[in-house]
Amino acid sequence: MTDARTDGLAPPADPGAGPGQFTLFTRWLHWVMALLIVAMIFIGAGMTASLADYSLLVSVHEPLGAAVLFLAVVRLVNRLMHRGPALPKSMSASERLAAKASEGLLYALMLAQPLIGWGMVSASGKPLALFGTVDVPAVVPTDPELYAVLHRTHLVFGYALFLLFTLHMLAILVHVLVKRDGLFSRMALWKGPRRKR
């Protein structure tokens, strides 16, 4: 018999997960966050390019940022509680290291980016109200110099998140189209193929 602690699968078994897959909750959380991040990237780009639609884009950007922060915390706790399935044996040591490093950086950016945005709005002195009704307390005092620093940081981190997200997608395409080693099935919403005994 195979011990779940040695093959990298999270105990107890998830009935919605096939062999070598993350739990169904983890996979849904992954794809919901992926859609939110893609939306945030495009909205952020629109905010820098279009002053005419700036207020509208901000009114969408802020609640999405709050959702990303909340789900990132949930995802991190879930990830710490449930070990993921083992990476394909075809991956080299350097590829495994790169995969773990990119995952860590993605988690860091998903947490840091909305927190910096929250601090930036607080430092600007403008009230932050999600959906126009839910008042969010300031996390830092009003400070124009701090606002400028946080604004630049938010912009740089936004580019970093876009770059890392793009590299992540390219790596997945390599594994799906070239290596065909089943890496994508770990996070696919459908059940993965049965393992050969």
Side-chain angles (χ1 to χ4, degrees), residues 37 40-41 44 61 65-66 68-69 72 105-120 150-162:
I37 289 171
M40 291 288 284
I41 289 172
H61 187 78
V68 168
L69 178 59
L105 284 173
L106 276 172
Y107 274 105
L109 286 172
M110 287 188 296
L111 290 167
Q113 185 69 336
L115 285 173
I116 293 170
W118 187 0
M120 182 182 70
L150 292 175
H151 184 271
R152 286 194 297 269
T153 305
H154 195 62
L155 188 62
V156 171
F157 277 28
Y159 283 121
L161 183 58
F162 172 73

Side-chain angles (χ1 to χ4, degrees), residues 115-169:
L115 285 173
I116 293 170
W118 187 0
M120 182 182 70
V121 175
S122 299
S124 73
K126 297 178 181 178
L128 177 59
L130 302 181
F131 306 107
T133 56
V134 181
D135 293 326
V136 179
V139 289
V140 297
T142 301
D143 185 335
E145 292 184 1
L146 178 59
Y147 168 80
V149 172
L150 292 175
H151 184 271
R152 286 194 297 269
T153 305
H154 195 62
L155 188 62
V156 171
F157 277 28
Y159 283 121
L161 183 58
F162 172 73
L163 177 61
L164 192 59
F165 188 84
T166 302
L167 290 175
H168 179 71
M169 293 301 298

Side-chain angles (χ1 to χ4, degrees), residues 16-190:
Q21 287 189 299
F22 285 94
T23 63
L24 184 60
F25 176 74
T26 300
R27 286 178 280 144
W28 271 107
L29 191 58
H30 172 88
W31 288 108
V32 168
M33 288 202 67
L35 291 175
L36 286 177
I37 289 171
V38 169
M40 291 288 284
I41 289 172
F42 279 101
I43 291 172
M47 288 168 62
T48 61
S50 175
L51 294 177
D53 300 322
Y54 184 81
S55 296
L56 174 62
L57 293 174
V58 167
S59 68
V60 178
H61 187 78
E62 290 176 347
L64 283 182
V68 168
L69 178 59
F70 172 75
L71 292 177
V73 172
V74 172
R75 186 173 176 181
L76 179 60
V77 172
N78 178 70
R79 188 69 176 86
L80 293 174
M81 292 176 61
H82 299 282
R83 292 181 61 187
L87 292 168
K89 294 180 180 180
S90 60
M91 291 180 65
S92 65
S94 59
E95 287 177 318
R96 291 168 183 269
L97 180 61
K100 291 180 180 179
S102 63
E103 182 185 24
L105 284 173
L106 276 172
Y107 274 105
L109 286 172
M110 287 188 296
L111 290 167
Q113 185 69 336
L115 285 173
I116 293 170
W118 187 0
M120 182 182 70
V121 175
S122 299
S124 73
K126 297 178 181 178
L128 177 59
L130 302 181
F131 306 107
T133 56
V134 181
D135 293 326
V136 179
V139 289
V140 297
T142 301
D143 185 335
E145 292 184 1
L146 178 59
Y147 168 80
V149 172
L150 292 175
H151 184 271
R152 286 194 297 269
T153 305
H154 195 62
L155 188 62
V156 171
F157 277 28
Y159 283 121
L161 183 58
F162 172 73
L163 177 61
L164 192 59
F165 188 84
T166 302
L167 290 175
H168 179 71
M169 293 301 298
L170 290 174
I172 292 297
L173 286 175
V174 169
H175 282 277
V176 171
L177 301 177
V178 180
K179 293 194 171 185
R180 300 181 181 181
D181 53 10
L183 180 69
F184 180 76
S185 66
R186 300 166 78 238
M187 198 59 81
L189 290 177
W190 55 86

